[in-house]
Amino acid sequence: MRKIFVVAAVIFSSQLQAQDLGPRVGRDSVLTVVEANVNGKTLDNLVVTANKFPKKQSQTGKVVSVIDRATIQQMGGRTLNEVLNTVAGTTIINANSNMGSNQRISLRGSSDGNALVLIDGIPVNDPSVINNYFDLNLINIDQVERIEVMKGAHSTLYGSDAVYGVINIITKKSATNRFAPYASLAAGSYNTFKATAGFNGQTNKLFYDVHATTVASTGFSSAYDSVGNKGFDKDGYYQKIVGGNLGFKLSSKVQWNFFTNYSTYKTDLDAGAFKDDKDYFTRSKNYQAGTGFTWNQPGGTLHVNYHFDYNNRFYHDDSTDRSSFAYFSQSDYIGRTHYAEVYETYQWNHVELLAGIDYRFNNTMQDYFSQSSYGPYAQPTLYAKSSQLSGYASVVYNYHNFNIEVGGRWNNHNVYGNNFTYTFNPSYLINNSVKVFANLASAFKAPTLYQLFDPYAGNSNLQPEKSNMLEGGVEVYTAQSLKVRAVGFYNKINNAIQYITVDPVNYVSRYTNINNQKTYGGELEADYKTQDWLLKVNYTYTKGQTTSNYSAEGNKRATDTTYSNLYRVPEHAANLFASYNVTKQLSVSSLLKFTGKRWEPIYGKAPKQLDSYFTVDLSAQYRFSNQLRAFVDFKNITNQQYFDVWGYTTRKFNFMAGLSINL
C-alpha cells in the first residue's frame, strides 16, 4: 500500500444533525441510533449520506449500503479495503495485494476518480494524482465507526467525481466517559504488526480524542515471481500516525470543533508486472486539518465546514542494473486542497429543504528527474491550480409513505466555465414493507490539474465528463428481520477524457474529450439479522462498453469502435458473510467471496482475460468483558492463487490476531 493514513478527523458534522432528534453533544452522537423500526423490523438503517441529514432508508429512494461498527468488528483483521470489497457493486482493486499497493475504487464499473470518497461527509481527493482519486490506504479501519456506500450519480449534493457513487467513511465518536483510554495490538502473516493507542472523552461542554498508530510489515514481493526462484525481495511497509480532535458545545444551540492528523510512511515498490526492483521505494507525508460549526435554529440548522488536505508523495529508484533505460529516477508530487462549505437544512411539516454553497481550490507541484545512458533528464516542473464554486439545493417531500426529492447544482470552474446537474428521486413505501424507487440524475467529473496543464499531455480546452444515470428497484422488509433489495442501473457518460495519440510521427499524445461510455447491470442484496445471526449476501452483474474512433491504447482507428472498458472489474461477483453468536462471549463468522472473470489491459497488446476465483475466510472474536476483546482471522484458507492485477502477487493463506481494550 502506497499510503496508509488514519483519518480520525472530525468535521463537526453537519450531516449528523436532524431537527427532531433532540439535543446532541459530539460530532456523531446521532449514530448511536443506527436502526429504526419499520412494522416491527430492525433493518431500516438511519443514513446520513442520502440527503446530508439523518434519514431512514425506507424514506429515500437512493441506494445506500451500510457497514456498521459491529459488522466491522465481526470481520476481524481485515483492512478497510477488504471490508469495502464485500459491498454489492463495489470493487477495490488490489484490496488483497501487498501493503504498499495502489488501492483503486470502482463502483458499478467506474474508472479511477469516478467514485467520490467522503470523510465525515466532506469530499477528499489528491490533486497531484492524474485522475484525482483518493487512496483508501490513507485510512486505518481502527478509526472507522461505520461506512455508507451510496451508488448512483450524486453530483447534485457532492459535486465533482460523484459520477458512480460516494463512499462516506464516518470516523469513531467520542466516548461518553470523561476520560476513556483505549489500545489495540494485532500481528500476523508477513511479520505484520499494528498498534493503536489513544484516549477520548466527553463532558457536557467538551469532547476530545487523541490517538497514535504504527504499522510495520516485511510483506512479500509485490511483483509475481512466475518461476519461483528469481530471488525477488520482500517489499516492506512502515508507517506512523498521530491525530486528534477537540470540540465544544458553545451553547445549547451552537457547537464547534477542530481536528488535525499527520501521517508519514515508507514502502518498497517493484518495477512492474513480473519484474522485481530492490532499490525502489516511496515515502509519503499527509496532513489534514479542519474545523466545523453548527447552529441549531427553530426548524433548521446552519452548517459551516472547512477542510485542508496536504499530500506529498516522493519516489526514489536507484537501480544497480545499468542496462535499464533509466537506472536512476526521482519524482516529487505535492497536492493541496482547500474545501469550504456553508449550507442550511430546514424542515417544515412534510417538506425538508437543503441549500448551500461550496468552494474548492486545488493546486499541485510536480518534479521528475532521471539518469540513463542518454544522460540526465529533468521534466519541467508542473505548477498548476484550479478552483470551483458551486451552489446547490434540494427539496424532499414526505407524505403518507410517498417521498420525492428534486435538486440541482450549478458549478463554475475557473478553466472550463459552467455546468449543471440535477436529481429526481421518488419512492413509495407500501404497507410499511415494500419500497419501490427510481432515481434519474446527472453527474460530472471536472478535468484534473494534470489533464489540463501537464506540459506534454495537458489540454486546457477540456470539458467535464458528464453522465446521465437511471436506476430503479424494489426493497422488501419482512417481519423475520429480513431485508431484500433488487436494483437495476444504467449510466451513460459523454465527453469522457482519454489519453490519445494526436501526432504519431512525432509521438505527441494529449488528453481529449473523445469517448462515450455506457455501464449497466443489476444488484441483488439480502440482509438477515436476529439476536444471534447476521447474514449478508449479494450478487452483482456489471457490463460496460466504450464507443470511440480511438483504441483503448489511444491510437486512431478509421471508424468508431465499441469495446469493453470494464478493466479489472468482474462481470459477475458475489459475497456471503455469515456471523453467529455461539455464546454471549464468543462469535464466529465466515466470508465467502466469488470474483468472476475480468479483462486486464496489456499495453500494446490485446487485453488478457483473468481467471475467476473463490476465497473462503474464517474468523472468531471473544469478549472477555465489555472492555477487552480478542480476535483471530484466517483469510484465503484454501490458499487460492489468483491475480487482481496481472503480474502482481495477491495474498495466499494468511492470518491476523489481536487484542483491543477500551477502559
Side-chain angles (χ1 to χ4, degrees):
M1 293 185 279
R2 283 183 170 64
K3 309 172 192 153
I4 292 184
F5 178 65
V6 169
V7 182
V10 183
I11 290 186
F12 196 58
S13 219
S14 64
Q15 298 83 307
L16 308 176
Q17 309 280 334
Q19 181 65 20
D20 60 351
L21 291 174
R24 292 158 299 277
V25 179
R27 60 182 173 85
D28 56 0
S29 55
V30 70
L31 291 180
T32 59
V33 184
V34 297
E35 292 180 337
N37 282 312
V38 176
N39 196 23
K41 293 163 283 293
T42 58
L43 287 169
D44 189 19
N45 286 287
L46 193 69
V47 297
V48 297
T49 311
N51 300 99
K52 301 191 79 167
F53 50 82
K55 193 82 170 173
K56 295 178 184 178
Q57 280 191 288
S58 61
Q59 294 180 342
T60 177
K62 295 179 179 177
V63 180
V64 185
S65 298
V66 177
I67 306 172
D68 59 20
R69 185 63 195 171
T71 303
I72 292 172
Q73 289 182 341
Q74 291 283 359
M75 290 190 175
R78 294 171 181 82
T79 64
L80 172 64
N81 310 304
E82 292 174 291
V83 171
L84 280 170
N85 220 19
T86 66
V87 177
T90 304
T91 302
I92 309 299
I93 300 166
N94 274 328
N96 300 307
S97 298
N98 197 19
M99 300 181 75
S101 302
N102 281 329
Q103 305 292 309
R104 304 296 179 88
I105 306 168
S106 179
L107 292 181
R108 293 178 173 174
S110 66
S111 56
D112 289 347
N114 277 314
L116 179 66
V117 175
L118 311 174
I119 305 296
D120 290 325
I122 303 297
V124 291
N125 61 359
D126 184 354
S128 71
V129 177
I130 292 177
N131 290 307
N132 217 41
Y133 65 83
F134 181 82
D135 189 346
L136 287 176
N137 291 317
L138 297 173
I139 306 171
N140 190 311
I141 199 167
D142 288 348
Q143 298 301 321
V144 177
E145 180 67 21
R146 65 190 256 125
I147 306 165
E148 297 181 1
V149 180
M150 183 169 67
K151 287 154 285 187
H154 297 294
S155 285
T156 293
L157 291 185
Y158 295 107
S160 178
D161 302 358
V163 178
Y164 283 80
V166 300
I167 298 174
N168 190 7
I169 299 166
I170 300 167
T171 56
K172 283 185 178 180
K173 61 180 180 291
S174 301
T176 56
N177 300 334
R178 287 181 175 270
F179 178 76
Y182 58 88
S184 64
L185 293 172
S189 300
Y190 316 116
N191 294 318
T192 301
F193 174 82
K194 180 174 70 169
T196 295
F199 58 89
N200 58 26
Q202 183 171 286
T203 67
N204 290 333
K205 298 290 185 181
L206 172 72
F207 65 89
Y208 59 89
D209 178 82
V210 177
H211 63 267
T213 296
T214 183
V215 179
S217 178
T218 56
F220 50 88
S221 174
S222 296
Y224 181 69
D225 184 353
S226 58
V227 177
N229 59 3
K230 292 184 178 180
F232 286 12
D233 69 325
K234 296 178 180 179
D235 296 314
Y237 179 85
Y238 312 95
Q239 168 209 24
K240 293 182 179 179
I241 307 155
V242 63
N245 64 78
L246 180 67
F248 296 96
K249 188 176 181 181
L250 303 177
S251 71
S252 62
K253 297 184 180 298
V254 179
Q255 301 181 70
W256 168 86
N257 96 301
F258 170 80
F259 79 90
T260 183
N261 280 283
Y262 176 77
S263 173
T264 181
Y265 64 86
K266 177 184 176 182
T267 183
D268 299 323
L269 305 174
D270 278 334
F274 303 104
K275 189 174 182 180
D276 188 37
D277 195 320
K278 294 179 173 55
D279 304 288
Y280 191 14
F281 70 87
T282 180
R283 197 167 48 232
S284 180
K285 297 178 181 178
N286 181 280
Y287 176 72
Q288 296 193 21
T291 189
F293 170 89
T294 59
W295 176 27
N296 292 322
Q297 310 143 16
T301 305
L302 176 68
H303 312 264
V304 181
N305 290 313
Y306 168 75
H307 182 95
F308 172 73
D309 192 356
Y310 171 87
N311 287 282
N312 179 207
R313 297 175 294 120
F314 175 78
Y315 296 87
H316 182 90
D317 188 4
D318 188 5
S319 176
T320 58
D321 180 12
R322 296 300 170 116
S323 63
S324 59
F325 175 76
Y327 50 81
F328 176 84
S329 66
Q330 187 169 285
S331 52
D332 196 19
Y333 304 92
I334 295 175
R336 300 180 182 89
T337 300
H338 296 268
Y339 175 86
E341 73 171 346
V342 179
Y343 69 93
E344 175 86 14
T345 59
Y346 183 81
Q347 295 178 326
W348 177 73
N349 289 338
H350 303 290
V351 178
E352 298 167 337
L353 302 176
L354 168 71
I357 186 169
D358 70 48
Y359 176 76
R360 311 175 192 209
F361 177 82
N362 297 323
N363 67 14
T364 186
M365 182 182 73
Q366 303 180 17
D367 280 313
Y368 175 81
F369 173 82
S370 67
Q371 183 78 36
S372 70
S373 56
Y374 292 94
Y377 168 75
Q379 183 172 302
T381 301
L382 172 62
Y383 297 98
K385 61 183 180 180
S386 68
S387 62
Q388 298 179 63
L389 178 66
S390 301
Y392 58 92
S394 72
V395 180
V396 179
Y397 178 75
N398 306 278
Y399 187 71
H400 289 308
N401 291 334
F402 174 72
N403 304 275
I404 186 169
E405 178 185 0
V406 179
R409 172 182 287 255
W410 164 83
N411 187 73
N412 176 263
H413 192 280
N414 72 309
V415 177
Y416 68 74
N418 301 318
N419 64 288
F420 181 82
T421 63
Y422 66 90
T423 185
F424 176 72
N425 180 217
S427 66
Y428 185 70
L429 187 62
I430 305 170
N431 296 326
N432 285 333
S433 295
V434 179
K435 182 180 72 174
V436 291
F437 59 90
N439 193 4
L440 177 63
S442 63
F444 75 100
K445 178 176 177 59
T448 66
L449 292 175
Y450 188 89
Q451 292 169 341
L452 287 168
F453 300 116
D454 178 71
Y456 300 109
N459 181 359
S460 60
N461 294 317
L462 287 174
Q463 294 296 306
E465 298 182 347
K466 300 178 181 179
S467 77
N468 289 283
M469 184 273 300
L470 175 64
E471 68 181 358
V474 60
E475 192 167 279
V476 180
Y477 303 82
T478 75
Q480 290 75 37
S481 298
L482 173 67
K483 181 175 73 174
V484 179
R485 179 168 61 197
V487 183
F489 59 87
Y490 174 87
N491 201 0
K492 182 179 180 180
I493 298 180
N494 297 315
N495 294 329
I497 298 172
Q498 184 179 353
Y499 183 67
I500 65 171
T501 302
V502 295
D503 184 354
V505 176
N506 296 302
Y507 305 102
V508 178
S509 298
R510 185 169 294 119
Y511 288 98
T512 306
N513 296 105
I514 199 69
N515 289 343
N516 294 320
Q517 298 179 2
K518 297 179 182 178
T519 307
Y520 54 92
E523 299 163 356
L524 181 63
E525 303 174 71
D527 289 4
Y528 176 76
K529 185 175 183 179
T530 66
Q531 184 176 353
D532 293 325
W533 279 100
L534 173 62
L535 298 174
K536 292 176 176 286
V537 60
N538 61 67
Y539 164 77
T540 305
Y541 170 76
T542 313
K543 195 75 173 177
Q545 60 187 32
T546 293
T547 301
S548 174
N549 60 349
Y550 281 82
S551 68
E553 292 76 28
N555 299 314
K556 189 172 179 60
R557 289 168 165 161
T559 59
D560 283 353
T561 303
T562 299
Y563 57 91
S564 173
N565 69 312
L566 299 188
Y567 295 129
R568 298 171 181 163
V569 175
E571 184 173 332
H572 303 277
N575 299 277
L576 170 61
F577 176 75
S579 175
Y580 177 68
N581 295 325
V582 181
T583 67
K584 291 183 178 180
Q585 291 78 32
L586 175 66
S587 64
V588 295
S589 61
S590 178
L591 174 64
L592 285 68
K593 184 174 184 62
F594 171 77
T595 301
K597 294 181 178 180
R598 292 96 53 226
W599 290 101
E600 172 75 16
I602 307 295
Y603 185 77
K605 299 180 181 179
K608 177 180 178 59
Q609 190 174 61
L610 302 181
D611 293 335
S612 60
Y613 63 89
F614 182 80
T615 59
V616 180
D617 301 345
L618 295 175
S619 62
Q621 64 170 327
Y622 189 86
R623 293 184 178 274
F624 297 94
S625 66
N626 290 332
Q627 291 76 37
L628 182 62
R629 181 179 66 92
F631 78 88
V632 61
D633 191 4
F634 300 101
K635 295 180 280 188
N636 193 7
I637 63 173
T638 59
N639 208 34
Q640 289 290 305
Q641 173 65 59
Y642 59 91
F643 291 106
D644 276 339
V645 177
W646 180 243
Y648 287 90
T649 311
T650 53
R651 303 185 195 108
K652 289 190 175 183
F653 170 74
N654 64 103
F655 76 95
M656 286 289 289
L659 289 168
S660 64
I661 184 169
N662 295 274
L663 300 178

